Amino acid sequence: MYVLINVSSGQRFAPPNLINNLYFMTSTAIIAISINHVKHKLIRTEFEQRSQLKTARDALFSEMEVAKRIQTALLPDLQTIGGYQIAATMQPAEEVGGDYYDIIVTHAGERWLAIGDVSGHGVESGLIMMMTQTSIFTTVNRTAGFKPSGVIDRVNSVMKQNIARLRTDRYMTLSVMHLDQHGLVFAGKHQDVLVWRKRTAKIELVPSTGTWVGVVDEIGEYLSDTSVAVEDGDVILLFTDGVTEAANAAGEMWGQENLERALDRYAHLPVAEIVRSIIVEVRAHMNEQTDDITLLALKRTDGTADQAA
């Protein structure tokens, strides 16, 4: 048997043990080098993937910003219509919202308002909102003399097909209103219409009736037109549920009663201040915006509605 002797200590080693130790040390070094190589490869791959994801994310954000700009550009900027002062705001919960409002003066001189809310929010809801806007604008401009119920019935026929093509289960609450020298006529299932009466300094609640848009093919039989007289100084307030359902940290909604009280406090102000003041109260109550917020106020002024009709 052959042995190796450590001269300094006199310790005896057998060659197999030396070979095993050398093999272990070599294997350990190889494994360490391999692990280090794999680690750096993974880091490089992760960096490349992050770079690709960042590029894709930036492209998506850019497209979302374009969609938001398109949607914002389509909002009306009229401050008066006939004998009414008008102010409105739409604040989406995401880059693109599903809330909708429009103020239309047709080629024939008819004056229309519309407000609605597509279920959910985001790009898909925003797309449905813009299709609805186009459909309403086309309908009221193509033929004069429509009743609001007739407009909604036609819009529903178009939107039901479009929503089916998108293979989604979205629907829309929608009210369409026609302004004339007496006040307004409206139809459609959306939020209640609030009317602050200057004569009595009290709020009148006018409920909406009908059914949602985009659920069934024919809704004409469920629609009816409601007339609301409007006098000088009266204020009409339209809103989406993002206003009343704005919740604080405890989950408590702001609610329609608070909205009515706010309207009562600010109704004497110009319409732009009415809208701004109410939104300030909503945001003071709200912990986090989870839904689109839309508010539209009209005030009839000094009998000019009769003159403009």
Side-chain angles (χ1 to χ4, degrees):
M1 176 179 179
Y2 296 97
V3 297
L4 297 177
I5 301 175
N6 188 316
V7 176
S8 61
S9 64
Q11 187 175 358
R12 300 159 67 92
F13 295 95
N17 291 336
L18 178 61
I19 294 171
N20 288 339
N21 289 338
L22 289 173
Y23 178 78
F24 175 76
M25 292 175 62
T26 303
S27 300
T28 301
I30 292 172
I31 291 172
I33 293 171
S34 299
I35 290 173
N36 193 53
H37 173 75
V38 171
K39 182 180 74 173
H40 282 84
K41 185 176 180 180
L42 288 173
I43 291 173
R44 185 170 61 252
T45 301
E46 182 181 4
F47 178 81
E48 292 173 351
Q49 289 177 344
R50 285 185 178 183
S51 179
Q52 293 172 357
L53 286 173
K54 182 179 183 300
T55 301
R57 183 195 64 192
D58 291 346
L60 177 60
F61 284 173
S62 177
E63 292 180 2
M64 292 283 284
E65 184 62 28
V66 169
K68 181 179 180 180
R69 288 203 304 270
I70 292 172
Q71 184 179 35
T72 304
L74 292 175
L75 294 177
D77 59 359
L78 290 173
Q79 296 180 346
T80 61
I81 179 172
Y84 295 84
Q85 298 174 351
I86 300 179
T89 184
M90 185 184 76
Q91 302 175 6
E94 296 184 356
E95 286 81 0
V96 180
D99 275 10
Y100 157 72
Y101 78 88
D102 207 353
I103 306 163
I104 304 169
V105 179
T106 69
H107 303 312
E110 292 183 337
R111 302 184 296 278
W112 292 88
L113 300 175
I115 186 168
D117 183 3
V118 181
S119 59
H121 41 83
V123 174
E124 190 172 70
S125 294
L127 176 60
I128 293 172
M129 182 279 285
M130 286 186 277
M131 288 190 294
T132 301
Q133 183 181 42
T134 301
S135 182
I136 292 175
F137 183 85
T138 302
T139 300
V140 298
N141 267 291
R142 181 175 295 170
T143 306
F146 263 113
K147 292 183 178 180
S149 57
V151 174
I152 293 178
D153 191 24
R154 289 207 174 192
V155 169
N156 178 75
S157 298
V158 174
M159 295 310 302
K160 180 63 172 66
Q161 295 180 32
N162 288 343
I163 291 172
R165 291 191 185 105
L166 289 174
R167 297 185 179 181
T168 182
D169 58 356
R170 306 279 182 173
Y171 61 89
M172 184 175 188
T173 63
L174 178 66
S175 285
V176 174
M177 305 178 182
H178 178 243
L179 293 173
D180 60 24
Q181 69 269 33
H182 305 294
L184 62 88
V185 180
F186 78 96
K189 183 64 177 175
H190 185 60
Q191 305 299 319
D192 298 329
V193 177
L194 302 183
V195 184
W196 181 83
R197 299 294 188 182
K198 183 180 179 180
R199 185 188 299 272
T200 61
K202 293 184 179 179
I203 292 175
E204 177 183 339
L205 187 152
V206 185
S208 66
T209 60
T211 188
W212 298 330
V213 169
V215 178
V216 296
D217 293 323
E218 301 293 337
I219 63 172
E221 63 181 297
Y222 305 107
L223 299 172
S224 60
D225 296 287
T226 300
S227 296
V228 180
V230 182
E231 299 179 350
D232 295 340
D234 289 352
V235 178
I236 303 163
L237 192 68
L238 311 176
F239 60 96
T240 59
D241 60 6
V243 175
T244 53
E245 294 180 5
N248 60 17
E252 298 167 334
M253 294 182 182
W254 196 55
Q256 187 162 311
E257 289 185 1
N258 278 324
L259 177 59
E260 293 177 22
R261 284 194 286 265
L263 174 59
D264 190 50
R265 280 194 296 274
Y266 304 126
H268 66 283
L269 298 174
V271 285
E273 285 301 307
I274 295 173
V275 170
R276 188 195 66 80
S277 300
I278 293 175
I279 291 298
V280 167
E281 288 201 20
V282 172
R283 291 204 166 275
H285 174 86
M286 181 173 59
N287 179 55
E288 179 184 3
Q289 184 176 350
T290 58
D291 197 5
D292 307 324
I293 292 174
T294 298
L295 194 66
L296 189 153
L298 301 91
K299 178 180 284 190
R300 185 166 175 176
T301 55
D302 300 327
T304 51
D306 294 323
Q307 299 169 16

